[in-house]
Amino acid sequence: MNLEESKRREIEELFELTPQSQVESVPQWERDLYKELKAQEGMLETTTVPTRGDVPTIGHGHTGDRAIPGAKITEDEASQLLKQDIYDRRPEIHRLMPEFEVYPPELQVPLASSHFRGSLGGSPKTLEHINNGEFIKAANEFLDNDEYRDAESRGRPGIRPRMEKTSNALRKFGTGQHPSNNLISGTR
């Protein structure tokens, strides 16, 4: 078995619905993120550039090596590819937000989703506020950018609700409205 097959098998084992012990080994945020991204991204059976100025995309928002002109993908392949994408991005998410695992899934999922879109990594001040535990400042900073303000004029109005969801989750966590906020030391 080569490295690629080994990695694919590991992902399949992590996300298989049976046995139950395997499902429980996948963090809740990853399972929720998988469902959310499938719903948000829809399914592109062939490589497409979703909006002008975007990058080639296939499946459930995949923009990597499989998104080449003329490529086709099945629903099963797209689902496995999304699971692989989630798995592959975990280290980067943890590098950007070292305390990520102590946040509740209600905050983890929007943050990870925004990372997938690229908007979180493109906002160093937002990440700085998150890592300093300044969630209200992070919520405000996240929406204080041209991508959010100009989304409709650029023909990408769907960006706004996704970014607002992340901002609202940060705000809710930062105001102490979420019971898990006591997991993080200090007042946020």
Side-chain angles (χ1 to χ4, degrees):
M1 178 180 327
N2 67 33
L3 182 60
E4 184 177 310
E5 290 171 343
S6 174
K7 195 171 185 181
R8 182 179 17 245
R9 185 178 196 148
E10 180 181 358
I11 297 305
E12 289 171 357
E13 289 173 3
L14 285 173
F15 281 88
E16 285 298 328
L17 296 180
T18 55
Q20 186 64 29
S21 63
Q22 289 176 332
V23 173
E24 292 169 358
S25 70
V26 177
Q28 184 65 46
W29 72 266
E30 288 187 35
R31 288 181 271 157
D32 293 346
L33 178 63
Y34 171 79
K35 293 175 196 169
E36 181 166 309
L37 290 174
K38 275 187 82 168
Q40 288 176 343
E41 297 293 340
M43 169 63 183
L44 297 172
E45 294 177 358
T46 59
T47 299
T48 306
V49 176
T51 58
R52 197 171 87 175
D54 213 343
V55 296
T57 305
I58 194 165
H60 303 296
H62 180 75
T63 59
D65 59 343
R66 292 283 305 268
I68 56 174
K72 295 184 183 293
I73 195 167
T74 67
E75 172 64 38
D76 287 344
E77 291 170 328
S79 292
Q80 290 304 317
L81 191 55
L82 176 58
K83 292 170 188 174
Q84 182 71 47
D85 286 344
I86 292 170
Y87 180 81
D88 289 347
R89 292 190 186 178
R90 282 193 297 177
E92 179 69 7
I93 290 169
H94 289 100
R95 185 186 69 73
L96 292 172
M97 297 171 284
E99 293 188 43
F100 182 82
E101 287 301 327
V102 299
Y103 303 151
E106 296 84 1
L107 180 57
Q108 290 172 321
V109 173
L111 288 173
S113 179
S114 290
H115 173 67
F116 266 73
R117 278 205 60 260
S119 47
L120 191 58
S123 182
K125 286 183 182 178
T126 299
L127 288 169
E128 181 181 336
H129 291 312
I130 290 169
N131 291 327
N132 288 335
E134 302 166 329
F135 296 99
I136 302 298
K137 287 181 180 178
N140 295 333
E141 178 65 34
F142 188 64
L143 297 183
D144 186 18
N145 68 65
D146 292 337
E147 180 185 33
Y148 177 74
R149 280 188 290 274
D150 301 338
E152 290 190 38
S153 65
R154 290 190 205 176
R156 302 184 77 187
I159 290 172
R160 291 180 62 92
R162 290 171 77 171
M163 292 183 74
E164 289 165 358
K165 182 175 182 178
T166 300
S167 178
N168 290 338
L170 286 163
R171 188 173 316 287
K172 182 176 181 180
F173 192 71
T175 57
Q177 294 178 24
H178 193 282
S180 299
N181 72 343
N182 62 359
L183 296 175
I184 310 295
S185 61
T187 303
R188 310 297 172 148

